[in-house]
Amino acid sequence: YLSAAKTLKPPEKLAVSEWADKRRILDEKTSAQPGQWKTSTTPYLKGVMDAFNDTEIEEVIFVKPTQVGGTEALMNMLGYCIEQDPSSALVVYPTLDLAEYASKNRIQPMIDLCKTLKERYYISDSKRLELQFDSMYVVLSGANSPASLASRPCRYLFLDEVDKYPVNAGKEADPISLARERTKTYTYNKKIFITSTPTLSRGNIWKAH
């Protein structure tokens, strides 16, 4: 009975920042301050992350300087989704090479260091750019690869460093438009997170903002 009750118990209701403070461990390879995540260290990220929980908000646009934790905020949102509200997710990086790097050096360590994520991870069914979890998958793609963008539908869309995206994905439309197409089937509960350090005034992040 105890085992059944534990299985059926709903997840603890947390905001993204609360989830990160309780669960997220930063690894020593990619963090200057490895160990338990503390939102109080970067308090300006709290509003950005918790906007993800607001049912009135569909898109979160984060225009940022370099090295202020934008990618880590994205990681916290992704981890939150896997544990708290699982559904299909697509994470887009400027190139496929960067997607490979992020999978190996950022997402995988986050899973390994977080017990609740590791319990939901189906490692034998996963590939480097397609991670399988209990009740969801996470596809990682490059903005330079139209094939990787035109894959599966997703409820969660994360677009990282969009000002480094190419104008077009091969012979296809611009990669942001292609990625957005993946969310069309989720008409009322999709979430889109877009972040970048701005380059030109006509760059993607200012357009989104």
Side-chain angles (χ1 to χ4, degrees), residues 54-127:
D54 192 326
T55 57
E56 299 293 317
I57 295 175
E58 185 174 282
E59 292 193 20
V60 180
I61 314 296
F62 185 27
V63 185
K64 65 180 184 65
T66 58
Q67 300 297 311
V68 296
T71 298
E72 296 302 339
L74 184 159
M75 296 287 291
N76 289 339
M77 293 174 194
L78 180 61
Y80 166 89
C81 293
I82 294 168
E83 180 184 333
Q84 294 279 306
D85 193 10
S87 192
S88 51
L90 172 63
V91 189
V92 183
Y93 296 92
T95 66
L96 274 176
D97 286 344
L98 282 173
E100 292 261 4
Y101 172 87
S103 179
K104 179 181 178 181
N105 295 290
R106 287 188 175 274
I107 297 176
Q108 194 66 56
M110 177 177 74
I111 296 167
D112 291 340
L113 292 170
C114 179
K115 181 184 176 185
T116 54
L117 298 186
K118 199 169 184 178
E119 288 173 347
R120 289 164 170 77
Y121 183 43
Y122 299 152
I123 187 169
S124 60
D125 297 329
S126 297
K127 302 173 185 176

Side-chain angles (χ1 to χ4, degrees), residues 155-169:
R155 176 182 164 198
Y156 300 119
L157 175 60
F158 300 94
L159 304 170
D160 196 21
E161 290 299 343
V162 294
D163 270 27
K164 294 179 182 176
Y165 287 11
V167 175
N168 298 102

